[in-house]
Amino acid sequence: MDYDAIDGLEDVGPRVTVRQALRDRADFTLENIDLSFANSLRRTLLAEVPTMAIDLVEVQVNTSSLADEFIAHRLGLIPLNSKNVDDVSYTRDCDNCEQYCEYCSVTLELHARCTGEEIMKVYARDLVVADPRPNEWVGLPIITDSLGLGSVICKLRQNQEIRMKCIAKKGIAKEHAKWAPTSAVGFEYDPHNKLKHLDYWYEEDPEKEWPKSVNAAWEEAPQDGEPFDYSAQPSKFYFDVESIGSLEPDAVVLQGIKVLQQKLALVIQELSGDDRNGEADGFGGPRSPDGMQAGDYGMDHGYTTPFGNTGGQTMYGGGTTPYGATPYG
């Protein structure tokens, strides 16, 4: 709804205008906010919205031509339904287990055997979700193709077989890209470059060599000879959120705002000197490594990964990067 059409209504506070809403994409504008907030929201949508992804793979049988690790990597990148993912606990916060359980994970079974002479393809649809699970949605493979097959996991020749137990956990893309809720987040402001934040390199004519984006039609073009406003600040931002299917695009944005609220609440807690650990104004969140006291070695203080605490194992063999320990554990 365009509130400018209402007489007497002041243009104050954030305003959202949805330009296009599809099943896997949302195109909208965000006005009357600061550039720092808009960019914070963009970064949150990309890396800090929690989703579900396969994190552990127990290989029981694999006589295919692909190595165990190769198939495990492909399984980890299959999008899984993450609706109401708040019903799932992070493994690091789960009080009911040390590695995984029905409260912090979803189990998927994969069993396929080729008995014919034709090459057999194993698809994401062949993943079977086992009960119990936190709710009826989380963990289901996302299948969007018209044939209802999903992503190809591997191919089998006659008498080849795979049997695997997959454990899906909750995580964020800052820990691994497989938890990313979006494939891309388009972000733009000042499409006419009135603020001169961009310095275009060109050979002859910048207008021809740097064509304007579609967002330029939503703002007035600068007039010839118009004086430069040194105090001007960007206040209108264009977002184009493309979901991978694990969450609907509007849910991704709402979750991103929620995560941003939690992070700001933690900042307020630290600035106010509140000693409550990770419970700022009712928001649960990651706790600082500074909270570790003498004699607490081995305890989980909320900043380890969903793979567990010390010695946690991922499907790739560990919870560290090639460069050493991650900031999460």
Side-chain angles (χ1 to χ4, degrees):
M1 181 178 182
D2 190 356
Y3 292 100
D4 289 338
I6 303 178
D7 295 334
L9 183 64
E10 295 184 4
D11 188 17
V12 295
R15 183 173 64 178
V16 178
T17 303
V18 178
R19 302 191 295 180
Q20 186 180 37
L22 303 175
R23 184 180 65 177
D24 58 354
R25 181 183 175 189
D27 189 332
F28 62 93
T29 64
L30 191 55
E31 302 179 59
N32 301 333
I33 62 171
D34 188 75
L35 173 59
S36 60
F37 177 82
N39 191 50
S40 298
L41 179 60
R42 178 190 67 85
R43 292 171 60 92
T44 303
L45 298 180
L46 283 170
E48 299 193 53
V49 173
T51 61
M52 297 293 294
I54 293 175
D55 189 49
L56 296 175
V57 177
E58 299 176 4
V59 180
Q60 300 167 350
V61 178
N62 179 22
T63 58
S64 70
S65 59
L66 299 180
D68 296 349
E69 293 81 3
F70 196 100
I71 297 179
H73 184 266
R74 293 181 66 85
L75 288 169
L77 296 178
I78 294 177
L80 302 180
N81 195 324
S82 302
K83 184 177 181 181
N84 291 352
V85 74
D86 289 339
D87 295 341
V88 185
S89 301
Y90 285 105
T91 300
R92 60 175 175 263
D93 298 328
C94 186
D95 298 326
N96 300 289
C97 67
E98 295 184 358
Q99 190 174 23
Y100 62 86
C101 66
E102 61 185 275
Y103 301 102
C104 64
S105 66
V106 175
T107 301
L108 299 94
E109 301 284 349
L110 177 63
H111 184 204
R113 178 182 175 85
C114 180
T115 57
E117 296 182 356
E118 297 291 331
I119 293 179
M120 172 184 175
K121 294 182 180 180
V122 182
Y123 294 95
R125 68 171 182 181
D126 299 315
L127 287 166
V128 179
V129 181
D131 290 326
R133 50 185 170 142
N135 62 50
E136 60 181 307
W137 299 287
V138 292
L140 291 173
I142 297 298
I143 299 175
T144 58
D145 60 287
S146 59
L147 298 178
L149 301 176
S151 306
V152 177
I153 299 173
C154 67
K155 297 180 181 179
L156 302 177
R157 298 185 67 179
Q158 190 173 17
N159 297 326
Q160 289 184 340
E161 178 184 8
I162 59 171
R163 182 186 293 122
M164 300 181 177
K165 180 180 179 181
C166 309
I167 307 301
K169 295 185 178 182
K170 178 180 175 180
I172 59 175
K174 184 180 286 187
E175 301 172 23
H176 195 286
K178 65 185 176 184
W179 279 297
T182 60
S183 56
V185 176
F187 178 74
E188 185 183 18
Y189 67 92
D190 188 24
H192 292 287
N193 198 28
K194 294 181 180 180
L195 302 176
K196 305 300 181 183
H197 285 187
L198 294 177
D199 186 11
Y200 295 121
W201 181 92
Y202 63 93
E203 294 181 347
E204 296 180 358
D205 187 355
E207 294 296 328
K208 293 181 179 180
E209 298 174 26
W210 294 92
K212 296 292 188 296
S213 69
V214 295
N215 297 322
W218 287 70
E219 295 188 15
E220 294 184 3
Q223 303 297 322
D224 293 337
E226 180 179 344
F228 181 74
D229 185 359
Y230 289 91
S231 62
Q233 296 290 334
S235 61
K236 186 173 185 178
F237 306 91
Y238 304 89
F239 284 83
D240 189 355
V241 179
E242 184 177 345
S243 170
I244 65 168
S246 57
L247 289 170
E248 295 180 350
D250 60 334
V252 173
V253 176
L254 292 176
Q255 282 278 15
I257 294 174
K258 180 179 177 180
V259 170
L260 200 54
Q261 287 178 324
Q262 293 173 347
K263 294 171 73 69
L264 291 174
L266 289 172
V267 173
I268 294 174
Q269 171 194 333
E270 293 296 327
L271 293 176
S272 62
D274 194 339
D275 292 333
R276 290 178 299 170
N277 199 7
E279 298 294 335
D281 296 334
F283 292 112
R287 287 163 288 179
S288 171
D290 295 336
M292 178 173 288
Q293 302 295 330
D296 287 347
Y297 181 79
M299 295 180 62
D300 186 354
H301 291 271
Y303 56 89
T304 56
T305 69
F307 319 129
N309 201 359
T310 56
Q313 293 293 313
T314 71
M315 65 182 181
Y316 311 106
T320 60
T321 69
Y323 311 105
T326 67
Y328 307 98

